[in-house]
Amino acid sequence: MRNHVSPGGPDSLRSPPDPSARAPQGEITASVSSPPLPTPTGLLESREPRGSHPYNCPPFPYPRSLPLLPQIPRAWMDSVGTNRSPLRSTAAAAAAAPATRSSALPRPHRHPALGNRLAATKLGIAAWCGGAGGYFGKVQRFDAARNTMARAQSGKAARSVIREMGHTASDSEMPLKYSWGKAFPLGVSQADGGLNFAIFSQDASSVTLCLKLPERGTQNDAEIVEFALDRQKNKTGDIWHVSVEGLPASGVLYGYRINGPQGWQQGHRFDDSVILLDPYAKLVSGRKYFGVDKEEPSQFFGTYDFDSSPFDWGDDYRLPNLPESDLVIYEMNVRAFTADESSGLVPAVRGSYLGLIDKIPHLLELGVNAVELLPVFEFDELEFKRFPNPRDHMVNTWGYSTINFFAPMSRYASAGGGPVAASKELKQMVKALHNAGIEVILDVVYNHTNEADDANPYMTSFRGIDNKVYYMLDLNNNPQLLNFSGCGNTLNCNHPVVKELVLDSLRHWVKEYHIDGFRFDLASVLCRGPDGSPLDAPPLIKEIAKDSVLSRCKIIAEPWDCGGLYLVGRFPNWDRWAEWNGQYRDDIRRFIKGDPGLKGVFATRVSGSADLYQVNNRKPYHSVNFIIAHDGFTLCDLVSYNSKHNDVNGECGRDGCNDNYSWNCGVEGETNDLIVRRLRSRQMKNFHVALMISQGTPMMLMGDEYGHTRYGNNNSYGHDTHINNFQWGQLEERKDGHFRFFSEMIKFRHSHPILKRDRFLSKNDVTWHEDCWENQESKFLAFTIHDHNSGGDIYLAFNAHEYFVDAVIPSPPHHKSWSRVVDTNLESPNDIVPEGVPFTGSGYRIAPYSCILLKAKP
């Protein structure tokens, strides 16, 4: 396996500092015209991690040599007479960088050196007295300081301008204390009265911490204070770190400029003109309002909040901890659920975490007990608008383009509240769902990031930090990014560093936000090595399955990727991983719409897909059964369109799947033909019955409970409109018909344990009323599921023929009689009667394209 960061190595063979020795502390005062500018500088304290770790940081027993006094070239001492700070001052930054920074381009290029120790000293820096070897505490003042003002990032790189600022006698002073810092934890943390910043970069030659202070103006025009880290003192193994005391405990925005080898052929993409987002930032600050691009640029910074009190989960709060066999999953989009005006919410709350809370009663009425949320990690919904292209009219409303794996989507906060509010409101949402007995599963995207490909890169973080580590590369092809995600890049998930990033991210969501489970988008990518080759025992997949923090979580794989690695039923699982059963989706669709030769396959799917999952200690609930998901047709469109209609996506209909196994019931799209509409209604009910009586874990899509349409668009990721948004008015119109059927069918499943067994069916558990499985023209199947405890057997019959079938009904169990619960051919409310309608005959005439369900009752 290539690109591993091996423990040890020359850079890491240093001894830790004497723990009894006090770390030198420096206090600097920047005197400039209002607003004041901090100019931190001095020596840094080294802290070492304990234990082994993949970041090239050996444990303590390794010998190290890190002098407390830096070795300064004699020429510098002669010309200046004092030691220079390893931190980059704003004046040093100005001297080292051109006034106008170039854009990030997909080609090799170099930038000037970051360090300028002489300029740092001229700014008046608290320093060591070289001759005496002690701390020289005098803080010099200076007549002019250079500071950087951030301008809007457009396209691929940040651009900044340099301006001079003088000071007057009335200038204020802002002291900052600093130390060498420590390598762990990564990201920003509180330590020794200060804030520690730590970031991994194996191949970087220089790292500069960039800070925007809250009192320096708005996000767009605030001054950037830059700290250039010294690789001899601010680096442990492959981790760069610095601790700063005196910074506010919240409201500071930060990022990094990182430079390194410019060899494109070696896989590097360093560009220190871009301020990069910390992969371990727990909060991300960007635009405030979803989809609004008129006021603020697409510049994302990390931020933190150590001021707020811990979130109050409440004394009576409990995790639902539902058995996997009991789940009925509702796949949904946080924003789309309440963004429409028909939600009845005030505009400030629509499309937010708080908006979802308001609609929990709907989820309870429907009967679902788990929500699977489309991505809620920070993403840039305006990424299509970076440059003119056929998709620049769209807004990425699904969110499968992650910027950061730790931060909640900030523009899902109500009223443009920002990242701190988003974090709090997400916790409020999770708490409210848990109090309602509903679990929260996150759809997570660890297979790629937002940074696109080499042709049109969107450098925001990983690419500029260490492209060769974070992404899979084709080293034999100049080396280009490998693309198994279909989005231009592929995260190198089984590299030790990236693997630890993913695990840390998952643990963070469980500990901080009490998340109950995860669905892994294109999870087959997580089964590939650094060169893209499939692995028999992928380290990341195994560690997720074995991790103690994640042990209570549901873990669900989408077991395929865009490189053809199809692992349905074969996903490495350690008896823990569940899978989206794509084979179930396809086979159920084809049988219900009337394709021939599928009766046996249909029987296999509704009985738990034992052909795929009855291996080792896997259970039926490891098959997540679904007919509809976010990508593809809605249930209404599945029975209304023979082909996709994606022209509004801007790709001339080339996007989206062509193999939908759909049937329009005689007319393409919208129609007023009552016969066609009734047939479509029956088919939607047939699909829902099949889903709810199948062994395994059922999952349905938001909106299918009222028959939402996307007008034939089977790839609607870019439409922040009624195409995706839940239509609450339509729900009310169909509450007593379509919705009622869907809700009652879900509740029927909940109340009948024989439909959700935690073991595969035996021959004693089901009777198939079929003696001609080889008949390819037969599209009728009837069977009885037996209840060995109470005799409450369930009889089911599905007729996918276009004609009536006279079915012979078997005798009910002793002292029981049949009651009709479901007949999808009947109009509401007779289509489903939960208490049952007594049935005494020996036969039942089942209408074309319909199904029935009988229950044995005393």
Side-chain angles (χ1 to χ4, degrees), residues 809-832:
I809 304 300
S811 299
H814 190 56
H815 296 307
K816 300 290 177 71
S817 61
W818 293 115
S819 290
R820 189 198 75 230
V821 176
V822 171
D823 184 341
T824 60
N825 185 53
L826 301 177
E827 296 294 323
S828 180
N830 296 317
D831 52 356
I832 183 166

PDB file of all heavy atoms in Angstrom, residues 809-832:
ATOM      1  N   ILE A 809     -58.178 -19.436  -1.237  1.00  0.00           N
ATOM      2  CA  ILE A 809     -57.687 -18.998   0.070  1.00  0.00           C
ATOM      3  C   ILE A 809     -57.543 -20.219   0.978  1.00  0.00           C
ATOM      4  O   ILE A 809     -58.500 -21.015   1.131  1.00  0.00           O
ATOM      5  CB  ILE A 809     -58.663 -17.990   0.712  1.00  0.00           C
ATOM      6  CG1 ILE A 809     -58.894 -16.815  -0.242  1.00  0.00           C
ATOM      7  CG2 ILE A 809     -58.114 -17.510   2.055  1.00  0.00           C
ATOM      8  CD1 ILE A 809     -57.659 -16.040  -0.612  1.00  0.00           C
ATOM      9  N   PRO A 810     -56.374 -20.435   1.581  1.00  0.00           N
ATOM     10  CA  PRO A 810     -56.192 -21.594   2.464  1.00  0.00           C
ATOM     11  C   PRO A 810     -57.019 -21.443   3.743  1.00  0.00           C
ATOM     12  O   PRO A 810     -57.452 -20.354   4.095  1.00  0.00           O
ATOM     13  CB  PRO A 810     -54.692 -21.559   2.769  1.00  0.00           C
ATOM     14  CG  PRO A 810     -54.320 -20.122   2.640  1.00  0.00           C
ATOM     15  CD  PRO A 810     -55.177 -19.589   1.522  1.00  0.00           C
ATOM     16  N   SER A 811     -57.195 -22.534   4.418  1.00  0.00           N
ATOM     17  CA  SER A 811     -57.922 -22.491   5.684  1.00  0.00           C
ATOM     18  C   SER A 811     -57.104 -21.744   6.727  1.00  0.00           C
ATOM     19  O   SER A 811     -55.874 -21.864   6.770  1.00  0.00           O
ATOM     20  CB  SER A 811     -58.202 -23.911   6.184  1.00  0.00           C
ATOM     21  OG  SER A 811     -58.999 -24.604   5.244  1.00  0.00           O
ATOM     22  N   PRO A 812     -57.741 -20.953   7.583  1.00  0.00           N
ATOM     23  CA  PRO A 812     -57.020 -20.242   8.640  1.00  0.00           C
ATOM     24  C   PRO A 812     -56.599 -21.214   9.737  1.00  0.00           C
ATOM     25  O   PRO A 812     -57.060 -22.367   9.781  1.00  0.00           O
ATOM     26  CB  PRO A 812     -58.057 -19.244   9.146  1.00  0.00           C
ATOM     27  CG  PRO A 812     -59.368 -19.908   8.893  1.00  0.00           C
ATOM     28  CD  PRO A 812     -59.192 -20.690   7.612  1.00  0.00           C
ATOM     29  N   PRO A 813     -55.735 -20.796  10.637  1.00  0.00           N
ATOM     30  CA  PRO A 813     -55.366 -21.652  11.772  1.00  0.00           C
ATOM     31  C   PRO A 813     -56.600 -22.017  12.612  1.00  0.00           C
ATOM     32  O   PRO A 813     -57.647 -21.387  12.520  1.00  0.00           O
ATOM     33  CB  PRO A 813     -54.386 -20.764  12.565  1.00  0.00           C
ATOM     34  CG  PRO A 813     -53.870 -19.785  11.569  1.00  0.00           C
ATOM     35  CD  PRO A 813     -55.004 -19.531  10.621  1.00  0.00           C
ATOM     36  N   HIS A 814     -56.429 -23.048  13.433  1.00  0.00           N
ATOM     37  CA  HIS A 814     -57.521 -23.570  14.253  1.00  0.00           C
ATOM     38  C   HIS A 814     -58.101 -22.472  15.138  1.00  0.00           C
ATOM     39  O   HIS A 814     -57.360 -21.698  15.758  1.00  0.00           O
ATOM     40  CB  HIS A 814     -57.002 -24.733  15.109  1.00  0.00           C
ATOM     41  CG  HIS A 814     -58.079 -25.493  15.798  1.00  0.00           C
ATOM     42  ND1 HIS A 814     -59.143 -26.086  15.122  1.00  0.00           N
ATOM     43  CD2 HIS A 814     -58.277 -25.776  17.127  1.00  0.00           C
ATOM     44  CE1 HIS A 814     -59.932 -26.696  15.987  1.00  0.00           C
ATOM     45  NE2 HIS A 814     -59.421 -26.516  17.213  1.00  0.00           N
ATOM     46  N   HIS A 815     -59.418 -22.412  15.185  1.00  0.00           N
ATOM     47  CA  HIS A 815     -60.167 -21.442  15.990  1.00  0.00           C
ATOM     48  C   HIS A 815     -59.944 -20.001  15.517  1.00  0.00           C
ATOM     49  O   HIS A 815     -60.133 -19.055  16.282  1.00  0.00           O
ATOM     50  CB  HIS A 815     -59.801 -21.534  17.485  1.00  0.00           C
ATOM     51  CG  HIS A 815     -60.158 -22.837  18.090  1.00  0.00           C
ATOM     52  ND1 HIS A 815     -61.429 -23.406  18.010  1.00  0.00           N
ATOM     53  CD2 HIS A 815     -59.407 -23.723  18.802  1.00  0.00           C
ATOM     54  CE1 HIS A 815     -61.449 -24.563  18.636  1.00  0.00           C
ATOM     55  NE2 HIS A 815     -60.221 -24.788  19.129  1.00  0.00           N
ATOM     56  N   LYS A 816     -59.518 -19.829  14.284  1.00  0.00           N
ATOM     57  CA  LYS A 816     -59.324 -18.487  13.717  1.00  0.00           C
ATOM     58  C   LYS A 816     -60.108 -18.370  12.416  1.00  0.00           C
ATOM     59  O   LYS A 816     -60.513 -19.373  11.813  1.00  0.00           O
ATOM     60  CB  LYS A 816     -57.834 -18.228  13.440  1.00  0.00           C
ATOM     61  CG  LYS A 816     -56.930 -18.293  14.669  1.00  0.00           C
ATOM     62  CD  LYS A 816     -57.177 -17.116  15.598  1.00  0.00           C
ATOM     63  CE  LYS A 816     -56.333 -17.225  16.868  1.00  0.00           C
ATOM     64  NZ  LYS A 816     -54.913 -16.992  16.608  1.00  0.00           N
ATOM     65  N   SER A 817     -60.326 -17.136  12.021  1.00  0.00           N
ATOM     66  CA  SER A 817     -60.955 -16.864  10.722  1.00  0.00           C
ATOM     67  C   SER A 817     -60.227 -15.701  10.075  1.00  0.00           C
ATOM     68  O   SER A 817     -59.581 -14.886  10.747  1.00  0.00           O
ATOM     69  CB  SER A 817     -62.445 -16.549  10.894  1.00  0.00           C
ATOM     70  OG  SER A 817     -62.629 -15.392  11.697  1.00  0.00           O
ATOM     71  N   TRP A 818     -60.346 -15.626   8.756  1.00  0.00           N
ATOM     72  CA  TRP A 818     -59.650 -14.569   8.037  1.00  0.00           C
ATOM     73  C   TRP A 818     -60.426 -13.260   8.089  1.00  0.00           C
ATOM     74  O   TRP A 818     -61.655 -13.244   8.043  1.00  0.00           O
ATOM     75  CB  TRP A 818     -59.453 -14.945   6.569  1.00  0.00           C
ATOM     76  CG  TRP A 818     -58.524 -16.090   6.309  1.00  0.00           C
ATOM     77  CD1 TRP A 818     -58.847 -17.300   5.773  1.00  0.00           C
ATOM     78  CD2 TRP A 818     -57.112 -16.121   6.560  1.00  0.00           C
ATOM     79  NE1 TRP A 818     -57.734 -18.101   5.673  1.00  0.00           N
ATOM     80  CE2 TRP A 818     -56.638 -17.397   6.152  1.00  0.00           C
ATOM     81  CE3 TRP A 818     -56.199 -15.228   7.112  1.00  0.00           C
ATOM     82  CZ2 TRP A 818     -55.315 -17.788   6.257  1.00  0.00           C
ATOM     83  CZ3 TRP A 818     -54.873 -15.615   7.219  1.00  0.00           C
ATOM     84  CH2 TRP A 818     -54.431 -16.863   6.792  1.00  0.00           C
ATOM     85  N   SER A 819     -59.667 -12.180   8.174  1.00  0.00           N
ATOM     86  CA  SER A 819     -60.222 -10.836   8.026  1.00  0.00           C
ATOM     87  C   SER A 819     -59.407 -10.108   6.968  1.00  0.00           C
ATOM     88  O   SER A 819     -58.174 -10.200   6.959  1.00  0.00           O
ATOM     89  CB  SER A 819     -60.180 -10.059   9.342  1.00  0.00           C
ATOM     90  OG  SER A 819     -61.098 -10.572  10.268  1.00  0.00           O
ATOM     91  N   ARG A 820     -60.127  -9.404   6.092  1.00  0.00           N
ATOM     92  CA  ARG A 820     -59.417  -8.634   5.060  1.00  0.00           C
ATOM     93  C   ARG A 820     -58.929  -7.314   5.651  1.00  0.00           C
ATOM     94  O   ARG A 820     -59.699  -6.513   6.158  1.00  0.00           O
ATOM     95  CB  ARG A 820     -60.356  -8.334   3.889  1.00  0.00           C
ATOM     96  CG  ARG A 820     -59.636  -7.720   2.690  1.00  0.00           C
ATOM     97  CD  ARG A 820     -60.605  -7.044   1.735  1.00  0.00           C
ATOM     98  NE  ARG A 820     -61.069  -5.758   2.274  1.00  0.00           N
ATOM     99  CZ  ARG A 820     -62.341  -5.407   2.338  1.00  0.00           C
ATOM    100  NH1 ARG A 820     -63.299  -6.231   1.969  1.00  0.00           N
ATOM    101  NH2 ARG A 820     -62.670  -4.215   2.830  1.00  0.00           N
ATOM    102  N   VAL A 821     -57.611  -7.112   5.569  1.00  0.00           N
ATOM    103  CA  VAL A 821     -57.025  -5.857   6.031  1.00  0.00           C
ATOM    104  C   VAL A 821     -56.732  -4.945   4.851  1.00  0.00           C
ATOM    105  O   VAL A 821     -56.986  -3.735   4.907  1.00  0.00           O
ATOM    106  CB  VAL A 821     -55.736  -6.118   6.852  1.00  0.00           C
ATOM    107  CG1 VAL A 821     -55.070  -4.796   7.253  1.00  0.00           C
ATOM    108  CG2 VAL A 821     -56.044  -6.952   8.083  1.00  0.00           C
ATOM    109  N   VAL A 822     -56.212  -5.508   3.764  1.00  0.00           N
ATOM    110  CA  VAL A 822     -55.811  -4.697   2.609  1.00  0.00           C
ATOM    111  C   VAL A 822     -56.376  -5.290   1.326  1.00  0.00           C
ATOM    112  O   VAL A 822     -56.324  -6.512   1.111  1.00  0.00           O
ATOM    113  CB  VAL A 822     -54.271  -4.611   2.498  1.00  0.00           C
ATOM    114  CG1 VAL A 822     -53.863  -3.950   1.171  1.00  0.00           C
ATOM    115  CG2 VAL A 822     -53.679  -3.853   3.669  1.00  0.00           C
ATOM    116  N   ASP A 823     -56.927  -4.423   0.492  1.00  0.00           N
ATOM    117  CA  ASP A 823     -57.193  -4.720  -0.916  1.00  0.00           C
ATOM    118  C   ASP A 823     -56.932  -3.424  -1.667  1.00  0.00           C
ATOM    119  O   ASP A 823     -57.725  -2.478  -1.586  1.00  0.00           O
ATOM    120  CB  ASP A 823     -58.632  -5.189  -1.132  1.00  0.00           C
ATOM    121  CG  ASP A 823     -58.903  -5.608  -2.582  1.00  0.00           C
ATOM    122  OD1 ASP A 823     -58.114  -5.209  -3.477  1.00  0.00           O
ATOM    123  OD2 ASP A 823     -59.894  -6.321  -2.821  1.00  0.00           O
ATOM    124  N   THR A 824     -55.823  -3.367  -2.379  1.00  0.00           N
ATOM    125  CA  THR A 824     -55.421  -2.104  -3.010  1.00  0.00           C
ATOM    126  C   THR A 824     -56.327  -1.709  -4.166  1.00  0.00           C
ATOM    127  O   THR A 824     -56.232  -0.580  -4.660  1.00  0.00           O
ATOM    128  CB  THR A 824     -53.959  -2.182  -3.505  1.00  0.00           C
ATOM    129  OG1 THR A 824     -53.841  -3.252  -4.459  1.00  0.00           O
ATOM    130  CG2 THR A 824     -53.003  -2.417  -2.355  1.00  0.00           C
ATOM    131  N   ASN A 825     -57.219  -2.602  -4.585  1.00  0.00           N
ATOM    132  CA  ASN A 825     -58.151  -2.257  -5.652  1.00  0.00           C
ATOM    133  C   ASN A 825     -59.337  -1.446  -5.146  1.00  0.00           C
ATOM    134  O   ASN A 825     -60.060  -0.831  -5.934  1.00  0.00           O
ATOM    135  CB  ASN A 825     -58.666  -3.533  -6.328  1.00  0.00           C
ATOM    136  CG  ASN A 825     -59.542  -3.247  -7.522  1.00  0.00           C
ATOM    137  OD1 ASN A 825     -59.150  -2.515  -8.433  1.00  0.00           O
ATOM    138  ND2 ASN A 825     -60.753  -3.812  -7.527  1.00  0.00           N
ATOM    139  N   LEU A 826     -59.543  -1.442  -3.846  1.00  0.00           N
ATOM    140  CA  LEU A 826     -60.679  -0.727  -3.270  1.00  0.00           C
ATOM    141  C   LEU A 826     -60.324   0.727  -3.008  1.00  0.00           C
ATOM    142  O   LEU A 826     -59.159   1.079  -2.794  1.00  0.00           O
ATOM    143  CB  LEU A 826     -61.125  -1.405  -1.968  1.00  0.00           C
ATOM    144  CG  LEU A 826     -61.539  -2.882  -2.092  1.00  0.00           C
ATOM    145  CD1 LEU A 826     -61.892  -3.442  -0.727  1.00  0.00           C
ATOM    146  CD2 LEU A 826     -62.691  -3.040  -3.073  1.00  0.00           C
ATOM    147  N   GLU A 827     -61.320   1.561  -3.014  1.00  0.00           N
ATOM    148  CA  GLU A 827     -61.122   2.973  -2.721  1.00  0.00           C
ATOM    149  C   GLU A 827     -61.005   3.176  -1.214  1.00  0.00           C
ATOM    150  O   GLU A 827     -61.522   2.397  -0.414  1.00  0.00           O
ATOM    151  CB  GLU A 827     -62.294   3.799  -3.272  1.00  0.00           C
ATOM    152  CG  GLU A 827     -62.417   3.768  -4.796  1.00  0.00           C
ATOM    153  CD  GLU A 827     -61.240   4.435  -5.486  1.00  0.00           C
ATOM    154  OE1 GLU A 827     -60.744   5.444  -4.956  1.00  0.00           O
ATOM    155  OE2 GLU A 827     -60.812   3.938  -6.556  1.00  0.00           O
ATOM    156  N   SER A 828     -60.357   4.266  -0.842  1.00  0.00           N
ATOM    157  CA  SER A 828     -60.237   4.617   0.569  1.00  0.00           C
ATOM    158  C   SER A 828     -61.628   4.951   1.120  1.00  0.00           C
ATOM    159  O   SER A 828     -62.453   5.541   0.418  1.00  0.00           O
ATOM    160  CB  SER A 828     -59.318   5.837   0.708  1.00  0.00           C
ATOM    161  OG  SER A 828     -59.179   6.201   2.051  1.00  0.00           O
ATOM    162  N   PRO A 829     -61.952   4.558   2.335  1.00  0.00           N
ATOM    163  CA  PRO A 829     -61.078   3.949   3.345  1.00  0.00           C
ATOM    164  C   PRO A 829     -61.074   2.427   3.348  1.00  0.00           C
ATOM    165  O   PRO A 829     -60.494   1.819   4.249  1.00  0.00           O
ATOM    166  CB  PRO A 829     -61.686   4.476   4.640  1.00  0.00           C
ATOM    167  CG  PRO A 829     -63.157   4.523   4.346  1.00  0.00           C
ATOM    168  CD  PRO A 829     -63.258   4.938   2.899  1.00  0.00           C
ATOM    169  N   ASN A 830     -61.719   1.794   2.352  1.00  0.00           N
ATOM    170  CA  ASN A 830     -61.808   0.338   2.354  1.00  0.00           C
ATOM    171  C   ASN A 830     -60.522  -0.334   1.879  1.00  0.00           C
ATOM    172  O   ASN A 830     -60.381  -1.552   2.023  1.00  0.00           O
ATOM    173  CB  ASN A 830     -62.980  -0.115   1.483  1.00  0.00           C
ATOM    174  CG  ASN A 830     -64.320   0.348   2.029  1.00  0.00           C
ATOM    175  OD1 ASN A 830     -64.559   0.269   3.238  1.00  0.00           O
ATOM    176  ND2 ASN A 830     -65.188   0.838   1.157  1.00  0.00           N
ATOM    177  N   ASP A 831     -59.602   0.439   1.301  1.00  0.00           N
ATOM    178  CA  ASP A 831     -58.359  -0.163   0.804  1.00  0.00           C
ATOM    179  C   ASP A 831     -57.499  -0.710   1.931  1.00  0.00           C
ATOM    180  O   ASP A 831     -56.750  -1.659   1.750  1.00  0.00           O
ATOM    181  CB  ASP A 831     -57.579   0.836  -0.049  1.00  0.00           C
ATOM    182  CG  ASP A 831     -57.361   2.168   0.654  1.00  0.00           C
ATOM    183  OD1 ASP A 831     -57.863   2.361   1.780  1.00  0.00           O
ATOM    184  OD2 ASP A 831     -56.693   3.037   0.052  1.00  0.00           O
ATOM    185  N   ILE A 832     -57.625  -0.128   3.121  1.00  0.00           N
ATOM    186  CA  ILE A 832     -56.943  -0.683   4.289  1.00  0.00           C
ATOM    187  C   ILE A 832     -57.819  -0.454   5.510  1.00  0.00           C
ATOM    188  O   ILE A 832     -58.229   0.666   5.806  1.00  0.00           O
ATOM    189  CB  ILE A 832     -55.538  -0.091   4.489  1.00  0.00           C
ATOM    190  CG1 ILE A 832     -54.839  -0.761   5.684  1.00  0.00           C
ATOM    191  CG2 ILE A 832     -55.563   1.423   4.629  1.00  0.00           C
ATOM    192  CD1 ILE A 832     -53.345  -0.496   5.753  1.00  0.00           C
TER     193      ILE A 832
END
